[in-house]
């Protein structure tokens, strides 16, 4: 904990050196972390990756940020790391607490990511708005135990504000999850708007919609 506190208060050039030397993190020279408490077991930040201010990322086996990916402000990214003495998730020997953000993908503000199991957000995707929850674990009522399952968000997707995604949910590539929706299963049909509680396919997205073929992640 002492080294974490010391690294946290250092100016970024010195902090970057400390994070690499003391914690073994892999940080591209152009990657940057703001005033955020980011301490997974393993951290990889590729070229141009950014983490803004007031984010927390803890209790993770691994955190990966792709080229020019970004996490804005006030997000909580946590999990339940593997290889502990806890009896929780003992029936899931292969489970790992991992957060992956693909190239040119973006997360805005004040979202909660429960990475008890894998959360994988594809390249050029946007987690938009505020206060969405991504919850990979819950109580299995049949077996009366904690259970987890991954959440997979495909490339070139758009996740609207204030949604909930549960363990086992999957949003296909080139699709949209509408605001305030609950996604509790894995869909496969691309070029689709999903929405509602629970979320269902609503309508096709035009194949010429430029968001889904753009070459630059940031949308002006």
């Amino acid at each position: 904990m002492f080294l974490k506190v010391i690294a946290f208060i250092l100016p970024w050039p010195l902090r970057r050196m400390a994070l690499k030397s003391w914690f073994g993190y892999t940080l591209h020279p152009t990657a940057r972390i703001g005033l955020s408490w980011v301490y997974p077991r393993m951290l990889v930040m590729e070229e141009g990756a950014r983490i803004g201010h007031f984010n927390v990322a803890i209790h993770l086996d691994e955190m990966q940020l792709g080229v020019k990916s970004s996490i804005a402000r006030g997000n909580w990214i946590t999990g339940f790391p593997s290889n502990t003495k806890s009896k929780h998730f003992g029936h899931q020997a292969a489970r790992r607490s991992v957060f992956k953000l693909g190239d040119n993908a973006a997360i805005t503000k004040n979202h909660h990511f429960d990475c008890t199991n894998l959360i994988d957000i594809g390249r050029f995707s946007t987690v938009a708005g505020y206060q969405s929850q991504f919850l990979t674990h819950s109580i299995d009522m049949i077996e009366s135990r904690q259970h987890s399952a991954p959440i997979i968000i495909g490339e070139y997707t758009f996740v609207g504000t204030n949604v909930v995604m549960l363990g086992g949910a999957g949003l296909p590539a080139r699709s949209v999850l509408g605001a305030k929706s609950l996604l509790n299963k894995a869909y496969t049909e691309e070029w689709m708007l999903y929405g509602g509680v629970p979320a269902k396919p609503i309508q096709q997205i035009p194949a010429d919609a430029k968001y889904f073929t753009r070459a630059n992640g940031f949308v002006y």
Side-chain angles (χ1 to χ4, degrees):
M1 177 61 73
F2 176 75
L3 291 179
K4 291 179 180 180
V5 173
I6 295 300
F8 179 75
I9 63 177
L10 291 173
W12 174 245
L14 295 178
R15 186 182 179 195
R16 181 179 173 276
M17 293 174 60
L19 292 174
K20 294 181 67 176
S21 176
W22 298 346
F23 301 98
Y25 292 165
T26 301
L27 306 174
H28 190 275
T30 60
R32 187 177 182 89
I33 302 174
L35 189 64
S36 291
W37 190 263
V38 179
Y39 288 107
R41 288 178 176 173
M42 178 187 300
L43 175 63
V44 177
M45 295 181 68
E46 302 288 354
E47 178 184 358
R50 293 284 189 273
I51 298 176
H53 299 315
F54 312 127
N55 297 286
V56 174
I58 55 174
H59 307 315
L60 302 166
D61 287 314
E62 185 176 350
M63 185 175 185
Q64 299 180 16
L65 276 73
V67 174
K68 295 182 179 179
S69 61
S70 66
I71 299 174
R73 185 174 73 240
N75 297 285
W76 185 272
I77 305 170
T78 187
F80 193 94
S82 59
N83 300 319
T84 70
K85 295 180 180 180
S86 173
K87 295 181 180 180
H88 288 82
F89 311 105
H91 64 293
Q92 295 184 290
R95 179 195 65 83
R96 295 186 73 240
S97 184
V98 177
F99 177 85
K100 294 183 179 181
L101 187 63
D103 296 349
N104 292 283
I107 294 170
T108 57
K109 304 172 185 176
N110 301 330
H111 302 297
H112 179 198
F113 298 87
D114 155 38
C115 300
T116 299
N117 211 311
L118 168 68
I119 293 181
D120 190 343
I121 302 171
R123 63 193 190 100
F124 289 94
S125 294
T126 305
V127 177
Y130 308 90
Q131 298 181 338
S132 289
Q133 300 180 58
F134 303 82
L135 308 174
T136 63
H137 88 284
S138 184
I139 293 177
D140 181 336
M141 300 296 179
I142 304 300
E143 299 295 336
S144 187
R145 65 186 179 191
Q146 298 281 349
H147 183 76
S148 69
I151 291 174
I152 307 298
I153 299 173
E155 65 179 17
Y156 286 95
T157 52
F158 183 91
V159 179
T161 189
N162 201 16
V163 306
V164 175
M165 293 186 68
L166 301 181
L171 185 65
R174 296 175 179 82
S175 61
V176 173
L177 181 61
K180 293 185 175 291
S181 296
L182 165 65
L183 187 61
N184 61 353
K185 63 181 291 185
Y187 284 100
T188 59
E189 187 175 1
E190 299 182 7
W191 299 98
M192 179 63 65
L193 167 63
Y194 296 92
V197 181
K200 298 178 180 179
I202 295 177
Q203 67 180 45
Q204 289 283 336
I205 296 171
D208 59 354
K210 295 180 180 180
Y211 172 89
F212 303 95
T213 56
R214 71 196 194 284
N216 295 311
F218 188 77
V219 178
Y220 292 92

